[in-house]
mmCIF file of all heavy atoms in Angstrom:
data_model
loop_
_atom_site.group_PDB
_atom_site.id
_atom_site.type_symbol
_atom_site.label_atom_id
_atom_site.label_comp_id
_atom_site.label_asym_id
_atom_site.label_seq_id
_atom_site.Cartn_x
_atom_site.Cartn_y
_atom_site.Cartn_z
ATOM 1 N N GLY A 307 2.486 14.213 -5.632
ATOM 2 C CA GLY A 307 3.752 14.849 -5.222
ATOM 3 C C GLY A 307 4.611 15.206 -6.420
ATOM 4 O O GLY A 307 5.365 16.184 -6.378
ATOM 5 N N ARG A 308 4.503 14.429 -7.504
ATOM 6 C CA ARG A 308 5.279 14.751 -8.693
ATOM 7 C C ARG A 308 4.818 16.053 -9.296
ATOM 8 O O ARG A 308 5.626 16.854 -9.800
ATOM 9 C CB ARG A 308 5.115 13.593 -9.686
ATOM 10 C CG ARG A 308 5.993 13.710 -10.919
ATOM 11 C CD ARG A 308 5.777 12.580 -11.873
ATOM 12 N NE ARG A 308 6.668 12.649 -13.028
ATOM 13 C CZ ARG A 308 6.578 11.873 -14.080
ATOM 14 N NH1 ARG A 308 5.602 10.966 -14.175
ATOM 15 N NH2 ARG A 308 7.420 12.000 -15.087
ATOM 16 N N GLY A 309 3.514 16.315 -9.299
ATOM 17 C CA GLY A 309 3.027 17.589 -9.840
ATOM 18 C C GLY A 309 3.502 18.792 -9.023
ATOM 19 O O GLY A 309 3.879 19.817 -9.605
ATOM 20 N N TRP A 310 3.507 18.652 -7.704
ATOM 21 C CA TRP A 310 3.980 19.765 -6.907
ATOM 22 C C TRP A 310 5.492 19.987 -7.027
ATOM 23 O O TRP A 310 5.967 21.106 -6.943
ATOM 24 C CB TRP A 310 3.610 19.540 -5.430
ATOM 25 C CG TRP A 310 2.130 19.725 -5.181
ATOM 26 C CD1 TRP A 310 1.259 18.745 -4.860
ATOM 27 C CD2 TRP A 310 1.394 20.933 -5.293
ATOM 28 N NE1 TRP A 310 0.010 19.260 -4.737
ATOM 29 C CE2 TRP A 310 0.028 20.607 -5.000
ATOM 30 C CE3 TRP A 310 1.703 22.256 -5.613
ATOM 31 C CZ2 TRP A 310 -0.959 21.554 -5.010
ATOM 32 C CZ3 TRP A 310 0.692 23.204 -5.631
ATOM 33 C CH2 TRP A 310 -0.632 22.865 -5.329
ATOM 34 N N LEU A 311 6.242 18.921 -7.231
ATOM 35 C CA LEU A 311 7.676 19.095 -7.500
ATOM 36 C C LEU A 311 7.907 19.841 -8.801
ATOM 37 O O LEU A 311 8.844 20.673 -8.909
ATOM 38 C CB LEU A 311 8.352 17.731 -7.532
ATOM 39 C CG LEU A 311 8.552 17.006 -6.199
ATOM 40 C CD1 LEU A 311 9.142 15.630 -6.411
ATOM 41 C CD2 LEU A 311 9.461 17.828 -5.289
ATOM 42 N N MET A 312 7.104 19.555 -9.797
ATOM 43 C CA MET A 312 7.229 20.287 -11.074
ATOM 44 C C MET A 312 6.910 21.773 -10.872
ATOM 45 O O MET A 312 7.611 22.643 -11.435
ATOM 46 C CB MET A 312 6.311 19.656 -12.098
ATOM 47 C CG MET A 312 6.737 18.248 -12.487
ATOM 48 S SD MET A 312 5.492 17.386 -13.508
ATOM 49 C CE MET A 312 5.436 18.479 -14.943
ATOM 50 N N ASN A 313 5.862 22.076 -10.115
ATOM 51 C CA ASN A 313 5.573 23.476 -9.851
ATOM 52 C C ASN A 313 6.694 24.157 -9.090
ATOM 53 O O ASN A 313 7.038 25.324 -9.354
ATOM 54 C CB ASN A 313 4.268 23.587 -9.042
ATOM 55 C CG ASN A 313 3.046 23.284 -9.896
ATOM 56 O OD1 ASN A 313 2.995 23.620 -11.048
ATOM 57 N ND2 ASN A 313 2.048 22.647 -9.279
ATOM 58 N N GLY A 314 7.231 23.444 -8.101
ATOM 59 C CA GLY A 314 8.370 24.042 -7.354
ATOM 60 C C GLY A 314 9.574 24.257 -8.230
ATOM 61 O O GLY A 314 10.264 25.274 -8.091
ATOM 62 N N ALA A 315 9.868 23.325 -9.136
ATOM 63 C CA ALA A 315 11.008 23.499 -10.040
ATOM 64 C C ALA A 315 10.836 24.710 -10.941
ATOM 65 O O ALA A 315 11.775 25.479 -11.180
ATOM 66 C CB ALA A 315 11.193 22.226 -10.865
ATOM 67 N N PHE A 316 9.590 24.887 -11.451
ATOM 68 C CA PHE A 316 9.342 26.045 -12.331
ATOM 69 C C PHE A 316 9.522 27.346 -11.552
ATOM 70 O O PHE A 316 10.095 28.310 -12.061
ATOM 71 C CB PHE A 316 7.947 25.934 -12.908
ATOM 72 C CG PHE A 316 7.604 27.049 -13.853
ATOM 73 C CD1 PHE A 316 8.043 27.026 -15.169
ATOM 74 C CD2 PHE A 316 6.822 28.116 -13.424
ATOM 75 C CE1 PHE A 316 7.719 28.052 -16.038
ATOM 76 C CE2 PHE A 316 6.489 29.133 -14.287
ATOM 77 C CZ PHE A 316 6.963 29.115 -15.609
ATOM 78 N N ALA A 317 9.015 27.375 -10.320
ATOM 79 C CA ALA A 317 9.105 28.616 -9.519
ATOM 80 C C ALA A 317 10.571 28.917 -9.187
ATOM 81 O O ALA A 317 11.001 30.089 -9.260
ATOM 82 C CB ALA A 317 8.295 28.460 -8.258
ATOM 83 N N VAL A 318 11.353 27.886 -8.818
ATOM 84 C CA VAL A 318 12.768 28.127 -8.484
ATOM 85 C C VAL A 318 13.540 28.574 -9.743
ATOM 86 O O VAL A 318 14.382 29.463 -9.666
ATOM 87 C CB VAL A 318 13.360 26.830 -7.899
ATOM 88 C CG1 VAL A 318 14.883 26.962 -7.759
ATOM 89 C CG2 VAL A 318 12.751 26.533 -6.536
ATOM 90 N N GLY A 319 13.250 27.944 -10.898
ATOM 91 C CA GLY A 319 13.919 28.365 -12.105
ATOM 92 C C GLY A 319 13.611 29.808 -12.503
ATOM 93 O O GLY A 319 14.527 30.576 -12.880
ATOM 94 N N CYS A 320 12.358 30.187 -12.356
ATOM 95 C CA CYS A 320 11.995 31.589 -12.653
ATOM 96 C C CYS A 320 12.665 32.576 -11.703
ATOM 97 O O CYS A 320 13.167 33.638 -12.117
ATOM 98 C CB CYS A 320 10.487 31.747 -12.620
ATOM 99 S SG CYS A 320 9.611 30.893 -13.937
ATOM 100 N N GLY A 321 12.652 32.244 -10.438
ATOM 101 C CA GLY A 321 13.272 33.129 -9.447
ATOM 102 C C GLY A 321 14.776 33.258 -9.655
ATOM 103 O O GLY A 321 15.331 34.371 -9.550
ATOM 104 N N LEU A 322 15.442 32.143 -9.979
ATOM 105 C CA LEU A 322 16.889 32.204 -10.228
ATOM 106 C C LEU A 322 17.202 33.028 -11.484
ATOM 107 O O LEU A 322 18.154 33.816 -11.491
ATOM 108 C CB LEU A 322 17.425 30.772 -10.383
ATOM 109 C CG LEU A 322 18.935 30.649 -10.616
ATOM 110 C CD1 LEU A 322 19.712 31.212 -9.435
ATOM 111 C CD2 LEU A 322 19.311 29.193 -10.849
ATOM 112 N N ALA A 323 16.383 32.882 -12.504
ATOM 113 C CA ALA A 323 16.612 33.642 -13.726
ATOM 114 C C ALA A 323 16.409 35.144 -13.473
ATOM 115 O O ALA A 323 17.200 35.974 -13.967
ATOM 116 C CB ALA A 323 15.665 33.162 -14.830
ATOM 117 N N ALA A 324 15.386 35.493 -12.720
ATOM 118 C CA ALA A 324 15.167 36.917 -12.421
ATOM 119 C C ALA A 324 16.311 37.469 -11.599
ATOM 120 O O ALA A 324 16.753 38.630 -11.840
ATOM 121 C CB ALA A 324 13.848 37.082 -11.666
ATOM 122 N N PHE A 325 16.823 36.717 -10.643
ATOM 123 C CA PHE A 325 17.940 37.205 -9.824
ATOM 124 C C PHE A 325 19.193 37.401 -10.650
ATOM 125 O O PHE A 325 19.905 38.435 -10.554
ATOM 126 C CB PHE A 325 18.202 36.211 -8.686
ATOM 127 C CG PHE A 325 19.370 36.578 -7.832
ATOM 128 C CD1 PHE A 325 19.259 37.586 -6.878
ATOM 129 C CD2 PHE A 325 20.583 35.921 -7.963
ATOM 130 C CE1 PHE A 325 20.353 37.942 -6.082
ATOM 131 C CE2 PHE A 325 21.661 36.258 -7.178
ATOM 132 C CZ PHE A 325 21.542 37.266 -6.229
ATOM 133 N N LEU A 326 19.490 36.461 -11.533
ATOM 134 C CA LEU A 326 20.691 36.597 -12.371
ATOM 135 C C LEU A 326 20.529 37.726 -13.374
ATOM 136 O O LEU A 326 21.516 38.453 -13.694
ATOM 137 C CB LEU A 326 20.953 35.261 -13.083
ATOM 138 C CG LEU A 326 21.351 34.089 -12.208
ATOM 139 C CD1 LEU A 326 21.542 32.833 -13.031
ATOM 140 C CD2 LEU A 326 22.632 34.408 -11.423
ATOM 141 N N THR A 327 19.331 37.888 -13.946
ATOM 142 C CA THR A 327 19.111 38.984 -14.882
ATOM 143 C C THR A 327 19.304 40.342 -14.226
ATOM 144 O O THR A 327 19.924 41.252 -14.783
ATOM 145 C CB THR A 327 17.704 38.895 -15.475
ATOM 146 O OG1 THR A 327 17.530 37.614 -16.102
ATOM 147 C CG2 THR A 327 17.469 39.988 -16.490
ATOM 148 N N TRP A 328 18.803 40.463 -13.012
ATOM 149 C CA TRP A 328 18.993 41.731 -12.281
ATOM 150 C C TRP A 328 20.465 41.931 -11.919
ATOM 151 O O TRP A 328 20.991 43.028 -11.992
ATOM 152 C CB TRP A 328 18.133 41.698 -11.021
ATOM 153 C CG TRP A 328 18.343 42.901 -10.147
ATOM 154 C CD1 TRP A 328 17.817 44.150 -10.306
ATOM 155 C CD2 TRP A 328 19.210 42.960 -9.020
ATOM 156 N NE1 TRP A 328 18.257 44.986 -9.331
ATOM 157 C CE2 TRP A 328 19.134 44.289 -8.516
ATOM 158 C CE3 TRP A 328 20.034 42.043 -8.373
ATOM 159 C CZ2 TRP A 328 19.845 44.681 -7.378
ATOM 160 C CZ3 TRP A 328 20.748 42.454 -7.267
ATOM 161 C CH2 TRP A 328 20.649 43.780 -6.766
#
Side-chain angles (χ1 to χ4, degrees):
R308 187 182 183 189
W310 288 112
L311 286 175
M312 293 170 61
N313 286 325
F316 182 80
V318 171
C320 291
L322 181 62
F325 177 77
L326 293 177
T327 302
W328 175 81

